[in-house]
Amino acid sequence: MDLLLVVNAGSSSLKFCVYSIAEAPTPALVSRGQVDGIGTHPRLRARDDGGATLADQTFGPTEIADVAAAMGRVGAWLREKYAGSNLVAVGHRVAHGGPRYSAPVIVDATVLAALERFVPLAPLHQPHHLRPMRSLAERYPGVVQVACFDTAFHRGHPEVADRYALPDDLYKEGVRRYGFHGLSYEYIARRLPSVAPEIARGAVVVCHLGSGSSMCAIKAGRSVDSTMGFTALDGLPMGTRCGQLDPGVVLYLLTEKGYSATDVEHLLYHRAGLRGLSGITNDVRDLLASGDAHARLALDYFVYRVAREIGSLAAAMNGIDALVFTAGIGENSPEIRARVCARSRWLGLEMDEAANRAGGPCISIPRSAVSVWVIPTDEEGMIAEHTLEAWRTHEGRRSHAHDGVPEPAA
Ligand code: AMP
């Protein structure tokens, strides 16, 4: 069996998915797992595609002290679990492709060096995404690695959506509105022709509402604009991130309140958003269950901002045919969907309440001027599709394949 591995690395966790590329034209999920608690209470867990447990092992902090060690442990588990299979390629989620990468790319030393230069553009994510890539390149130099970018799907934005009103030299050095969650939006755009063919060529606003939240205007399958910009802080309020903020607030914190740059970063990334507003939690389930006035305000603010951005992104496309909800909140919270749709009735949008409670996929009534959908996203599946495409192209140029789940280099 030929296998693909998809890797999504964080600061203290490493998520992975294994796909078979034997039978189907698209990769088929075989198992998914993660190593979490890296450096503190490392634990490797994995399940098969039906949810049955394949692995649940704990380790001492020094046994898996960093992401490279976690990658090594996952490699050892894969070699044992899938002995006799061929690992043909590894796909990585990468936060930032900068102005340069508008499509997935096969990783080599030049690409790694280029991606390293984008670390200042995504300091909280990019270093973690590059670490397993570097460690795999050292230990398994023969394995094809593919970098798949959260920014790539948005690189075709019109210039007015790509710019800030700042001098040109800053734009040229990379101060642009990149947009993120691109792998999620691309997955949804690729599914529309089969799930909702009547809107696939139309103007669609996709709401990716999860612990990180953003929205994207997609016209005829292409990203036109997004609520996120230079970093993944802009736009909607998130679990712990602030969303749209007057930059004057940052100046005030720095000059009047004596905040350091690190203090500001911590506030905007970790102490803001739903957690900051409610003072309770960043989890929408707990906020919905709470009777606290601050919890209510946090959810009111979230719904208000989503509804406001629907109007803004519809304007970016000169109209709107459909609204799609996805990610943790978008897929699982009928109440948040209902509240966003209630605020959007001015568009002629009419929700089907029973369909909304049932989870869709179509949750609007037939005469609604804007149809509304719930479509589960699959960022790892999108990475797997890209990795398979890139590997096939690469293999077309190369005559010899690798055999076996490879042993590390000496
Ligand atoms: P994600 O980042 O896409 O995995 O989304 C995670 C977030 O989804 C969590 O922080 C929760 O706030 C939210 N979530 C998950 N399930 C539900 C639910 N049933 N109702 C409301 N929010 C949910």
Side-chain angles (χ1 to χ4, degrees), residues 263-395:
D263 296 336
V264 173
E265 180 179 282
H266 187 68
L267 172 72
L268 302 186
Y269 277 97
H270 301 295
R271 288 177 49 222
L274 298 175
R275 180 180 289 162
L277 266 172
S278 68
I280 304 171
T281 174
N282 55 327
D283 194 313
V284 167
R285 284 165 291 201
D286 297 334
L287 292 172
L288 284 166
S290 166
D292 188 281
H294 294 97
R296 207 162 40 243
L297 171 67
L299 292 178
D300 286 348
Y301 183 85
F302 183 72
V303 168
Y304 171 68
R305 297 305 302 215
V306 173
R308 246 187 71 165
E309 292 298 337
I310 290 171
S312 169
L313 294 174
M317 295 187 289
N318 295 319
I320 173 171
D321 298 309
L323 188 62
V324 174
F325 289 97
T326 195
I329 303 165
E331 291 167 27
N332 297 304
S333 180
E335 183 164 347
I336 296 293
R337 293 195 300 259
R339 290 176 62 181
V340 169
C341 287
R343 270 198 170 268
S344 307
R345 275 200 208 105
W346 63 276
L347 285 164
L349 179 160
E350 288 186 63
M351 174 172 263
D352 177 334
E353 284 172 22
N356 181 38
R357 279 194 301 277
C362 183
I363 59 168
S364 52
I365 61 172
R367 70 162 182 275
S368 178
V370 174
S371 63
V372 188
W373 303 79
V374 180
I375 304 179
T377 193
D378 184 0
E379 288 158 297
E380 288 82 15
M382 192 66 249
I383 297 171
E385 282 185 36
H386 279 312
T387 304
L388 181 56
E389 285 161 13
W391 175 73
R392 283 191 173 139
T393 309
H394 182 75
E395 280 304 284

Side-chain angles (χ1 to χ4, degrees), residues 53-74:
T53 299
L54 298 176
D56 191 351
Q57 303 162 14
T58 52
F59 301 89
T62 52
E63 285 181 278
I64 304 185
D66 54 26
V67 168
M71 201 62 249
R73 186 60 66 168
V74 169

Side-chain angles (χ1 to χ4, degrees), residues 17-359:
C17 292
V18 180
Y19 293 83
S20 147
I21 57 170
E23 298 95 25
T26 53
L29 183 69
V30 174
S31 60
R32 62 171 71 235
Q34 65 181 59
V35 181
D36 50 25
I38 293 171
T40 53
H41 305 93
R43 184 173 177 188
L44 166 65
R45 281 174 288 178
R47 292 177 181 277
D48 69 14
D49 63 330
T53 299
L54 298 176
D56 191 351
Q57 303 162 14
T58 52
F59 301 89
T62 52
E63 285 181 278
I64 304 185
D66 54 26
V67 168
M71 201 62 249
R73 186 60 66 168
V74 169
W77 182 76
L78 289 173
R79 276 197 305 282
E80 188 189 321
K81 180 76 199 158
Y82 300 105
S85 298
N86 296 330
L87 178 64
V88 298
V90 181
H92 297 263
R93 181 201 202 134
V94 181
H96 226 300
R100 181 159 169 186
Y101 294 109
S102 56
V105 63
I106 298 220
V107 177
D108 59 20
T110 313
V111 169
L112 258 175
L115 298 183
E116 208 65 66
R117 285 198 289 278
F118 304 141
V119 165
L121 302 183
L124 300 191
H125 296 98
Q126 192 88 341
H128 307 304
H129 293 161
L130 300 188
R131 225 158 265 147
M133 233 181 249
R134 219 177 293 111
S135 122
L136 277 169
E138 280 162 18
R139 290 165 62 90
Y140 305 98
V143 169
V144 173
Q145 298 197 68
V146 181
C148 301
F149 303 102
D150 269 324
T151 48
F153 185 59
H154 304 295
R155 291 314 303 139
H157 279 177
E159 191 174 4
V160 285
D162 200 40
R163 286 265 180 176
Y164 290 107
L166 290 170
D168 203 44
D169 52 342
L170 285 171
Y171 179 74
K172 288 210 175 86
E173 74 177 56
V175 182
R176 304 176 183 207
R177 294 192 61 242
Y178 292 99
F180 296 86
H181 291 135
L183 292 159
S184 172
Y185 294 125
E186 190 177 9
Y187 178 83
I188 299 290
R190 284 197 185 194
R191 290 299 165 271
L192 284 181
S194 53
V195 178
E198 62 271 41
I199 59 165
R201 306 297 305 161
V204 182
V205 170
V206 181
C207 308
H208 176 111
L209 309 179
S211 45
S213 293
S214 73
M215 292 162 62
C216 182
I218 298 181
K219 198 165 188 183
R222 297 168 70 97
S223 171
V224 170
D225 205 344
S226 148
T227 57
M228 278 182 172
F230 180 57
T231 68
L233 273 180
D234 203 1
L236 302 177
M238 294 165 237
T240 62
R241 282 174 257 167
C242 59
Q244 192 266 323
L245 186 78
D246 181 342
V249 173
V250 174
L251 295 176
Y252 172 78
L253 295 173
L254 292 172
T255 58
E256 300 297 324
K257 299 278 290 178
Y259 276 47
S260 67
T262 310
D263 296 336
V264 173
E265 180 179 282
H266 187 68
L267 172 72
L268 302 186
Y269 277 97
H270 301 295
R271 288 177 49 222
L274 298 175
R275 180 180 289 162
L277 266 172
S278 68
I280 304 171
T281 174
N282 55 327
D283 194 313
V284 167
R285 284 165 291 201
D286 297 334
L287 292 172
L288 284 166
S290 166
D292 188 281
H294 294 97
R296 207 162 40 243
L297 171 67
L299 292 178
D300 286 348
Y301 183 85
F302 183 72
V303 168
Y304 171 68
R305 297 305 302 215
V306 173
R308 246 187 71 165
E309 292 298 337
I310 290 171
S312 169
L313 294 174
M317 295 187 289
N318 295 319
I320 173 171
D321 298 309
L323 188 62
V324 174
F325 289 97
T326 195
I329 303 165
E331 291 167 27
N332 297 304
S333 180
E335 183 164 347
I336 296 293
R337 293 195 300 259
R339 290 176 62 181
V340 169
C341 287
R343 270 198 170 268
S344 307
R345 275 200 208 105
W346 63 276
L347 285 164
L349 179 160
E350 288 186 63
M351 174 172 263
D352 177 334
E353 284 172 22
N356 181 38
R357 279 194 301 277

